[in-house]
Amino acid sequence: MNRQKALTVSQIICNCILPLILMIYPFRHIAWGVDLWDTGYNYANFRYMGMEHMDPMWLFSTYLATLLGHFFSLLPGGHTLLFQNFYTGILVALLAVLAYLFCVKRQHLPAAPVFIGVFAAISLCFCPTALLYNYLTYLLMLLSIFCIYDGLVQNKMWLLVTAGALLGTNVFVRFSNLPEMAFILAVWGYGLICHKRFGQVAKETGFCILGYGLAVFIWLSWLSLRYGFSDYITGIRRLFAMTETASDYRAAAMLTSILKYYTDNLYWVIRLGVLLGGCVILSALLPEAWKKVRWLLCAGFALLAGAWLYLRRFCNLNFTEYESMLRPGILFLMLTVLICLVRIFQFGVAKKEKLLAGLILLTVLLTPIGSNNGLYPAINNLFLVAPYVCSILYRLLKSRASLPLPFYRNLSIIPLKTFAVMFVGIFLFQSVSFGLGFVFAESHGIQNPNFKVENNAVLKGIYMSEERAEWLCGISAYVQEKGLTGKEVILFGNIPSLSFYLEMPSVFNPWSDLASYGTSIMEKELIFLSKEVDAGGELPVVILERKYALYLEEGKDGLAQAGYTEKEIAEVMANTIKLSLIQTYMERYDYTQQFANEKLVLYEGGTQ
């Protein structure tokens, strides 16, 4: 009876309580922070989806993510930051629960390490949930992995068709997901493991490609009917052409960036390897009967290695910055690659586990491709990776095996166990602390979120720093006083979120100072706008980030005297051509400054 009761309690914890925690945890920060970059920029595109207010390149390259976001904007409270954070956060919760259930129910991995791994994965989601083109990508990727795995293990061809369809659909979530077609390589890998005939592997590959092609055909047909095939092709062509102005999006630059993160981290791997090697040698020299001494020796080496990592600033304890999790995250990815390769080529490992290891290896390798953010996307997508690695390390800790060595007695795995505990401890401490302390706000985390803006319906219930509250409170009051809500706006500077926060649709791309938004495109948009105004159209509002407005008034010297850093001045100087186009437009229609604070300057036109 007691055993049955204990079993029932364990089942309740594993099947209900742990998934519930994973479901709730992603919403811990939905009322924290105001970001002027990515968050509101994406929410603005969701709310004002379409060719009229969006850059067509962005619309077509992230179509399904934007469509889902637009659906969220139509739900109750969808026009507010709080509710949008909630709706988009559902995808992270869904990713976490699905990964947990797959590992525990389908793979029969122990619930505790799986839960710890998924919890850490959520904590490392530094990217705002507003970036649905990331999280929807991860979700479809995860579902395609499930389908490939079950399709191959259970020999169900319809699941392989479904997997291909999910991967094909992902191209319309984010066009740079094209490389994810490489997941189909798992079919060939499993074929080699199982010694399948070439014809069978080719058949399975054909079913995957069939699903992929059908999905691409369906979505391409829909876009052609909805917007026109020529407009879609024009938008995608611009996506390829943007590498001329945004060199970090070139394939070679992206791959070089990924490799650089790995090679830079070899500095730590080599030194940890030396410490581990020294521990193994000393442990091997001890008599076998000195087991406790061996444990103490290895634990001491592991503690020494951990202390060395912190003293050499391998990571820091400022959990509002990326540095606190970046190197542990990269080292975790490198450990994942090593573990997956070992499991794939290790004798005695079940064929289906080799398949799972291969799929996880592909997840680590393919996730960052198509992004200009190096390995950050891979760290952001550990939903299946982290629980698998934590389970393998848990299995290592429970193992009593030894390492065979020719011409010598077997080596103890105690050094591996103690170093694994040391690194996983650091990784979990840094990642969970980061998850609790970090909320994305521009290039860093939020600071002191103790204030709210009471005069802005979109930002109702959101906590932010005093400085940001002052910026947004002042301009919100002016916009409401002058009845500018709903009026079109030209935004320039790192302030694209204002379109969403102030409920002012952008005339064209709200983040027009980005290098990926070409100068020639902006020039055409302003010419078209001028024609509309000359024909009797309404003049839009212009809002500039303060440093750009100051440059128009006082030039480069004015920026230096105002205390802007060299980096900030360089950023302005890199955008002078676009800024001159806006200046010419404003001079033509007699725009004058009507509002200004330390961050924002608003102009309104006078004549038409």
Side-chain angles (χ1 to χ4, degrees), residues 291-351:
K291 191 172 182 179
K292 290 184 179 179
V293 176
R294 184 179 286 116
W295 270 108
L296 289 172
L297 173 71
C298 295
F301 261 83
L303 288 172
L304 178 65
W308 175 78
L309 287 174
Y310 277 102
L311 288 172
R312 292 301 304 272
R313 298 190 64 79
F314 170 75
C315 50
N316 62 44
L317 299 178
N318 184 354
F319 299 112
T320 61
E321 293 182 357
Y322 298 114
E323 290 299 317
S324 61
M325 64 80 179
L326 180 59
R327 290 196 183 104
I330 296 172
L331 196 54
F332 189 83
L333 292 176
M334 298 175 80
L335 178 63
T336 300
V337 171
L338 176 63
I339 287 174
C340 289
L341 289 175
V342 168
R343 299 304 286 175
I344 290 170
F345 293 104
Q346 185 178 355
F347 293 110
V349 175
K351 294 175 181 177

Side-chain angles (χ1 to χ4, degrees), residues 141-304:
M141 183 189 296
L142 187 68
L143 294 175
S144 69
I145 289 172
F146 294 168
C147 291
I148 291 173
Y149 179 86
D150 281 338
L152 292 174
V153 171
Q154 300 179 15
N155 196 30
K156 293 181 179 179
M157 297 301 106
W158 68 270
L159 283 175
L160 295 180
V161 174
T162 304
L166 290 168
L167 294 172
T169 298
N170 237 349
V171 176
F172 296 88
V173 172
R174 182 178 61 189
F175 191 80
S176 57
N177 288 337
L178 272 171
E180 289 176 15
M181 186 187 288
F183 271 106
I184 299 176
L185 290 173
V187 175
W188 289 89
Y190 194 64
L192 288 173
I193 292 169
C194 297
H195 307 291
K196 293 182 180 181
R197 294 180 179 178
F198 175 82
Q200 177 63 23
V201 177
K203 178 183 175 182
E204 292 168 345
T205 305
F207 278 112
C208 287
I209 294 174
L210 174 64
Y212 193 97
L214 284 173
V216 170
F217 174 77
I218 290 170
W219 289 114
L220 197 56
S221 298
W222 163 251
L223 286 169
S224 299
L225 290 172
R226 176 70 178 82
Y227 297 100
F229 184 72
S230 61
D231 286 338
Y232 175 77
I233 294 300
T234 301
I236 297 302
R237 278 181 179 171
R238 276 189 50 211
L239 187 68
F240 285 102
M242 79 177 184
T243 56
E244 297 176 6
T245 54
S247 59
D248 54 338
Y249 278 100
R250 293 173 183 168
M254 288 188 285
L255 291 174
T256 301
S257 175
I258 292 169
L259 291 173
K260 188 176 186 302
Y261 277 102
Y262 280 127
T263 54
D264 287 350
N265 227 48
L266 283 175
Y267 172 90
W268 307 99
V269 174
I270 292 170
R271 283 152 180 79
L272 284 174
V274 170
L275 287 170
L276 176 59
C279 184
V280 170
I281 293 171
L282 290 176
S283 175
L285 294 175
L286 294 174
E288 291 189 17
W290 292 16
K291 191 172 182 179
K292 290 184 179 179
V293 176
R294 184 179 286 116
W295 270 108
L296 289 172
L297 173 71
C298 295
F301 261 83
L303 288 172
L304 178 65

Side-chain angles (χ1 to χ4, degrees), residues 1-54:
M1 179 69 73
N2 288 335
R3 185 175 179 181
Q4 273 187 332
K5 185 176 180 181
L7 194 62
T8 303
V9 171
S10 175
Q11 288 175 339
I12 291 173
I13 292 173
C14 295
N15 299 334
C16 300
I17 296 177
L18 296 184
L20 183 61
I21 293 172
L22 295 176
M23 194 180 300
I24 294 172
Y25 182 53
F27 302 102
R28 65 198 179 280
H29 290 149
I30 61 171
W32 274 26
V34 167
D35 165 44
L36 298 178
W37 290 9
D38 292 281
T39 302
Y41 170 61
N42 283 275
Y43 289 159
N45 287 328
F46 297 165
R47 186 168 183 187
Y48 305 117
M49 180 183 181
M51 300 281 281
E52 185 178 359
H53 300 297
M54 279 188 71

